[in-house]
């Protein structure tokens, strides 16, 4: 009788990837697993309505509106772009973001300890990561004197957050930082080929819905043009990318489930601080390094979380 009387909570989920994207599905699966461990079971006491924006602004805006009109108890947001779309539609329904960059600069929250509105959640990386990416890239490819920073300004409106930090760090590593803007997939080869024509160029791929959605094309082009490249997430390296360093995104989605639980039990989003990631991964593809004629330092190999041979 108690089970029959238990109220079913409704959760909206807005993802920035296409529905068929394997990594996107893995993130939502991690979120579901986190909910189940806390007793929130689909079909019993919770209903999940997911929408997939496919990395495009127009469907993301439309799906944000659609989810808000469903009047869910709470919405899980994938990224900076999806969170911005949701907060245009509602300032009352709780929004938990799982993988956001600079939520203060984006206007999502007032501060980390006290978000101050209906949104809170988990960030993916801080701006200091730019210096770390550069440091690791120089260890693997010490001869580079120029580093291209690849991003899409539409899907990564926060690009200055990382780019400015890169400009500050660059002189310490004797490299020239260059912004490599890509507005759509058709421009990827042109932009990357142009960077490769400049002698001594390496590349940093920024965390961005566009770059992660187009990860196959980017890793393929980096290999074709022999561009030493560091990526923000391990799934680039699984596809043949040289190396990656960044947060464990599925872990953020699992942690987001704990905020769902607390909100469903009466806690306000404003009382749930924005949290930084706690798990980071360094992954190296030794096969790709050999193909590029690069020797991975033994110190880096021993500290890596995984080395793909």
């Amino acid at each position: 009788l108690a089970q029959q009387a238990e109220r079913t909570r409704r959760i909206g989920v807005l993802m920035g990837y296409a529905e068929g994207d394997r990594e996107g599905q893995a993130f939502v699966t991690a979120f579901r697993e986190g909910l189940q461990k806390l007793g929130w079971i689909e079909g019993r006491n919770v209903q999940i309505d997911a929408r997939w924006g496919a990395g495009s602004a127009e469907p993301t805006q439309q799906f944000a509106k659609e989810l808000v009109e469903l009047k869910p108890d709470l919405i899980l947001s994938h990224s900076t772009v999806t969170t911005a779309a949701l907060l245009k539609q509602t300032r009352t329904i709780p929004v938990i973001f799982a993988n956001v960059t600079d939520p203060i600069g984006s206007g999502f929250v007032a501060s980390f300890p006290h978000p101050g509105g209906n949104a809170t959640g988990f960030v993916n990386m801080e701006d200091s990561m730019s210096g770390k990416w550069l440091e690791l890239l120089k260890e693997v490819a010490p001869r580079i004197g120029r580093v291209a920073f690849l991003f899409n300004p539409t899907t990564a409106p926060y690009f200055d957050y990382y780019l400015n930090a890169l400009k500050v760090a660059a002189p310490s590593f004797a490299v020239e930082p260059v912004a490599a803007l890509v507005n759509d997939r058709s421009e990827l080869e042109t932009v990357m080929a142009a960077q490769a024509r400049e002698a001594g160029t390496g590349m940093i791929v920024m965390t961005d819905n566009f770059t992660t959605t187009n990860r196959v094309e980017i890793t393929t082009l980096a290999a074709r043009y022999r561009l030493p490249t560091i990526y923000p997430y391990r799934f680039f390296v699984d596809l043949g990318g040289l190396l990656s360093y960044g947060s464990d995104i599925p872990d953020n989605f699992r942690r987001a489930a704990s905020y769902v639980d607390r909100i469903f039990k009466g806690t306000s989003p404003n009382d749930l601080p924005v949290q930084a990631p706690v798990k980071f991964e360094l992954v190296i593809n030794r096969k790709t390094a050999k193909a590029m004629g690069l020797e991975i330092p033994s110190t880096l190999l021993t500290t890596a979380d995984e080395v793909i041979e």
Side-chain angles (χ1 to χ4, degrees):
L1 289 173
Q3 286 182 341
Q4 290 174 1
E6 189 174 12
R7 176 178 159 224
T8 298
R9 304 297 186 104
R10 193 168 196 173
I11 301 173
V13 173
L14 184 57
M15 298 295 295
Y17 294 155
E19 187 170 2
D21 188 289
R22 184 179 67 179
E23 299 301 332
Q25 287 289 348
F27 301 159
V28 176
T29 296
F31 175 63
R32 284 189 166 104
E33 289 171 352
L35 289 175
Q36 288 173 5
K37 287 182 179 179
L38 294 166
W40 298 101
I41 313 297
E42 275 188 276
R44 193 182 80 186
N45 57 4
V46 73
Q47 174 183 336
I48 296 177
D49 299 295
R51 300 292 185 273
W52 301 81
S56 180
E58 189 173 337
T60 297
Q61 293 286 348
Q62 179 57 40
F63 286 140
K65 185 173 185 293
E66 188 176 306
L67 282 173
V68 169
E69 288 174 349
L70 291 175
K71 294 182 170 47
D73 296 283
L74 177 150
I75 303 176
L76 175 74
S77 177
H78 169 203
S79 65
T80 302
V81 172
T82 58
T83 303
L86 286 165
L87 293 180
K88 282 183 180 178
Q89 299 295 328
T90 180
R91 289 288 178 171
T92 55
I93 297 171
V95 173
I96 299 174
F97 47 80
N99 192 51
V100 154
T101 295
D102 190 18
I104 296 175
S106 298
F108 302 157
V109 301
S111 72
F112 275 35
H114 301 288
N118 64 317
T120 187
F122 303 82
V123 297
N124 48 15
M125 300 172 206
E126 296 180 351
D127 59 349
S128 59
M129 186 62 73
S130 294
K132 186 63 178 178
W133 287 327
L134 185 54
E135 177 188 347
L136 290 166
L137 186 59
K138 281 287 283 188
E139 284 192 60
V140 173
R143 294 181 181 179
I144 64 170
R146 184 175 181 275
V147 62
F149 200 56
L150 186 73
F151 63 93
N152 183 324
T154 302
T155 56
Y158 48 81
F159 64 86
D160 274 339
Y161 181 71
Y162 291 116
L163 185 56
N164 289 339
L166 178 64
K167 290 176 180 177
V168 171
S172 300
F173 297 95
V175 299
E176 174 194 2
V178 179
L181 282 66
V182 181
N183 295 298
D184 59 55
R185 184 182 299 184
S186 65
E187 296 180 1
L188 270 172
E189 182 160 12
T190 301
V191 170
M192 292 179 69
Q195 298 304 324
R197 283 194 293 270
E198 298 287 338
T201 295
M203 192 168 70
I204 297 173
V205 173
M206 197 177 75
T207 173
D208 170 2
N209 266 6
F210 173 83
T211 57
T212 53
T213 297
N214 293 287
R215 56 191 178 272
V216 173
E217 291 81 0
I218 291 171
T219 51
T220 300
L221 289 167
R224 180 183 305 165
Y225 291 107
R226 298 176 66 83
L227 268 172
T229 303
I230 186 166
Y231 303 90
Y233 302 115
R234 67 164 297 144
F235 47 72
F236 285 94
V237 183
D238 291 335
L239 292 168
L242 178 60
L243 79 160
S244 68
Y245 183 68
S247 57
D248 182 335
I249 307 178
D251 185 61
N252 269 15
F253 275 82
R254 290 187 196 97
R255 294 167 71 204
S258 68
Y259 272 17
V260 173
D261 181 63
R262 292 178 67 179
I263 288 173
F264 283 173
K265 291 176 179 176
T267 304
S268 166
N270 186 49
D271 294 326
L272 297 172
V274 176
Q275 295 192 40
V278 295
K279 292 180 68 176
F280 290 84
E281 295 178 302
L282 171 61
V283 184
I284 299 169
N285 192 317
R286 204 170 187 180
K287 181 180 178 182
T288 299
K290 289 178 180 177
M292 290 187 175
L294 299 172
E295 184 66 34
I296 306 295
S298 58
T299 52
L300 208 56
L301 292 172
T302 56
T303 57
D305 294 279
E306 185 174 345
V307 177
I308 298 173
E309 297 289 352

